[in-house]
Amino acid sequence: MKVIICGAGQVGWQIARHLSGELNDVTVVDKNPDLVRRATDTLDVQGIAGFASYPDVLERAGAADADMIIAATHSDEVNMVTCQVAHSVFSIQRKIARLRSQSYLDAIYADLYRRDHLPIDVVISPEREVAAAAMLRLSAPAAFDIENFMDGKAQLLGITIDEDCPVVHTPLRQLTDLFSTLRSIVVGVRRDGSLFAPEPGDQLFVGDNCYVFTHIDDVDRTMEVFGKKETKQDRVVIVGGGNVGLEVAKALENRTGRTRAKMIERDRKKAERAAEELVRTIVLNGDGLDRSLMIEAGTDRADAMLAVTDDDKTNMLAAVRAKAEGCALAIALINDPTLVPLMAPLGIDAYINPRSTTVSSILRHIRHGRVRQVYSVGDAEAEVIEAEVMSTSPMAGQMIRDIDFPEGVLVGAVYKGGEVLRPSGVMRIEEGDVIALFAMSDDVPEVERLMQVSIDFF
């Protein structure tokens, strides 16, 4: 597949990294020559320096025979015009744009993106993706990572193994015997900074971060098995009233049950806008790192604090201060993945990576076959891929134990006949089943081969 990626920033670079590693023909376009050079020096991609919306620049990037264009520059307007040029001049079939302005995302203007207007096939909103991720974090506060799969009937949970965890030093194969009715399976473990897909004989140790795929009805029991207790998040403090903070506050106001939320925003204009758009949320204008303002917002009594400003360090410091004041749960928005290892030593409970959520959302619309969901784990170290099994797939008709999965791939669950099932070696994968696979990044191409469909399906 020939893909043009417009924008070589964090999101564009990660998408290029994924696609070039899977032997796609990728060209990166950016007005900044240094970012283009970084992409071409570190990845197997071609690079063009220039404005992505210019027809001559797209022509040099190979738009005449491209299959897809992904517009992920920092400008909504450039992304929109790029998709228009790609459609009108070069007839590129698949067009994905990242749009951040909420005005462009209002449902009443949805007709704007029809093919006879602005022909964009998929619109990605980073702010809405991050807000959705934040709400997921609040739904399972004891998990450091969480994502929904299989129409909301299954979840991937990131769980840190503490000293009081009941299953420490227990071989994973014994967990199946000890909890025979629990529809959960450990698919990934991070130990000493390294992520891997565990073997059945592997044990969990204190300090491990493990990824568990579980049925939605077994989430609470799974957390108990791993020594975690869930609590309701009725009182929430949000530090940051920009687009992300506003989306989170709106989601909290629409949440089932009574959630009392307070927001702290340093910029007066942003604070005033938030106060106008929100109904039940109390908005305070001031520095989110100011201890007296945090106390006024009730951080010491809050069930959770979300720091979602546009500055990673501010978010981290706000989370640390919230924990020092007695807040039960502190979540920080972190753009720079190199800062993630500092979360645990600083006592920050969980983090949200907007780049990861945006990349996952875009990848969902790129994969071969009938891929329904893709979630990027860590710093693009692994992916959880949910896909429907086609009749032409090499997996169709085979038992799981007979499928030649790479060592870095584990089956998390199988969605068969409307029911989410825990996988077993003797389970047969049939056409129409939906399967969720945890795959290390190097093994994703082989997973795509196993999911591959014939040309008739394209």
Side-chain angles (χ1 to χ4, degrees), residues 175-176 178-185 212-215 217-226 422:
L175 294 182
T176 304
L178 291 170
F179 308 100
S180 58
T181 61
L182 186 66
R183 291 163 293 183
S184 300
I185 183 170
V212 184
F213 205 94
T214 181
H215 191 290
D217 293 339
D218 289 348
V219 168
D220 290 344
R221 189 178 169 211
T222 298
M223 298 302 282
E224 289 179 8
V225 166
F226 285 88
R422 184 172 65 180

Side-chain angles (χ1 to χ4, degrees), residues 146-160:
I146 182 172
E147 181 65 20
N148 283 333
F149 289 88
M150 298 180 167
D151 299 327
K153 296 182 179 180
Q155 284 188 340
L156 178 73
L157 300 171
I159 303 174
T160 299

Side-chain angles (χ1 to χ4, degrees), residues 207-277:
D208 285 353
N209 286 336
C210 63
Y211 290 88
V212 184
F213 205 94
T214 181
H215 191 290
I216 191 69
D217 293 339
D218 289 348
V219 168
D220 290 344
R221 189 178 169 211
T222 298
M223 298 302 282
E224 289 179 8
V225 166
F226 285 88
K228 303 292 184 180
K229 293 182 179 179
E230 296 289 12
T231 57
K232 290 184 178 181
Q233 311 300 305
D234 295 326
R235 292 170 295 184
V236 180
V237 175
I238 303 169
V239 176
N243 289 335
V244 173
L246 199 55
E247 285 292 326
V248 172
K250 288 178 179 178
L252 287 172
E253 289 191 343
N254 294 327
R255 198 181 190 186
T256 303
R258 189 75 174 176
T259 300
R260 289 173 288 178
K262 293 184 180 179
M263 174 186 289
I264 302 174
E265 169 53 46
R266 186 172 188 172
D267 184 273
R268 185 170 185 81
K269 288 184 178 180
K270 288 183 179 179
E272 290 175 348
R273 185 190 70 162
E276 289 175 359
E277 295 191 28

